[in-house]
Amino acid sequence: AVEVRLIDDLAVAAISASNRGVEALRAADLEKARSLLELATRLQPTLPDLYANLGIVRWRQGDVPGAYEAFRKGLEIDPGRPTLLHNLAALYIEEGRRTEARAALAAAATREATPYLLVVQGDLELAGGDPKAAMRAYRRAHRAQPGLLEPLLGIARAEITLGSPDAARKALRKAEKLHPEDPQVRALLES
């Protein structure tokens, strides 16, 4: 039996604002994305995924404390929410906090690893000095979702670490076909 739950007008408005915020995020309009996602969290402060998206925008704007705050608020609502825990783990990795990243990933306790979780695991392995384990995670993520840019970037970084620039270039060419204007792809191709 499938449970059907009705949502009120504020929840619908919040989800609409969040969807528009995610579109703005994808278009790299971070100010618009942040404004829409903050509106969404004010309209419906009990939806944890809204905080996941808001945290990503704040993080990309360089507001790391704001990103942690958004992830924390979402986790107060749903402590086991995989999206929030994966994003938090990625932020911990960027901050060099590998122990906390492992704890966040363990707390996610997902049965089936999403491509995003696999990318975060790969990032954690690469940061921890194990490029072969990172490569396994990135390749698994790429197989699960071939159109996703992040696994290809991870593969390229791992190949560079392993001393295989030709293999890194091959992964970057695939990434370039998916996202020809992506600054990360450009920067890695130029280096």
Side-chain angles (χ1 to χ4, degrees):
V2 174
E3 179 184 343
V4 176
R5 294 187 316 174
L6 298 177
I7 58 175
D8 63 25
D9 291 343
L10 282 178
V12 170
I15 292 167
S16 175
S18 175
N19 289 342
R20 291 191 328 262
V22 170
E23 288 171 15
L25 177 60
R26 286 189 183 127
D29 187 348
L30 298 180
E31 284 302 318
K32 181 177 181 182
R34 185 172 183 151
S35 175
L36 286 164
L37 291 165
E38 286 176 348
L39 171 63
T41 60
R42 283 192 307 275
L43 289 171
Q44 194 65 42
T46 60
L47 294 176
D49 288 331
L50 300 179
Y51 294 98
N53 294 328
L54 179 59
I56 292 294
V57 170
R58 288 177 175 173
W59 180 7
R60 288 189 184 168
Q61 287 182 315
D63 180 7
V64 172
Y68 280 124
E69 177 191 356
F71 297 149
R72 181 188 52 75
K73 283 183 179 178
L75 289 168
E76 285 173 1
I77 298 163
D78 185 352
R81 193 62 152 213
T83 307
L84 286 157
L85 290 164
H86 298 165
N87 291 345
L88 182 61
L91 182 54
Y92 280 144
I93 291 168
E94 185 173 286
E95 296 282 298
R97 298 168 62 182
R98 289 195 295 276
T99 302
E100 291 95 332
R102 287 190 192 284
L105 289 174
T110 55
R111 290 190 189 124
E112 275 190 47
T114 67
Y116 294 102
L117 173 61
L118 292 168
V119 168
V120 171
Q121 287 176 331
D123 291 347
L124 182 59
E125 295 298 344
L126 194 57
D130 191 347
K132 289 182 180 178
M135 185 69 77
R136 286 191 296 274
Y138 294 139
R139 288 187 193 279
R140 209 170 136 208
H142 181 62
R143 281 192 304 274
Q145 196 167 344
L148 194 61
L149 176 65
E150 289 80 359
L152 291 169
L153 292 172
I155 289 168
R157 289 192 312 271
E159 292 288 13
I160 290 167
T161 303
L162 289 167
S164 302
D166 291 338
R169 216 174 344 275
K170 182 179 176 185
L172 290 169
R173 293 290 177 216
K174 287 182 183 178
E176 186 178 39
K177 285 182 183 176
L178 291 173
H179 299 275
E181 301 301 319
D182 187 87
Q184 295 176 76
V185 175
R186 293 268 127 243
L188 284 171
L189 277 170
E190 292 170 5
S191 65

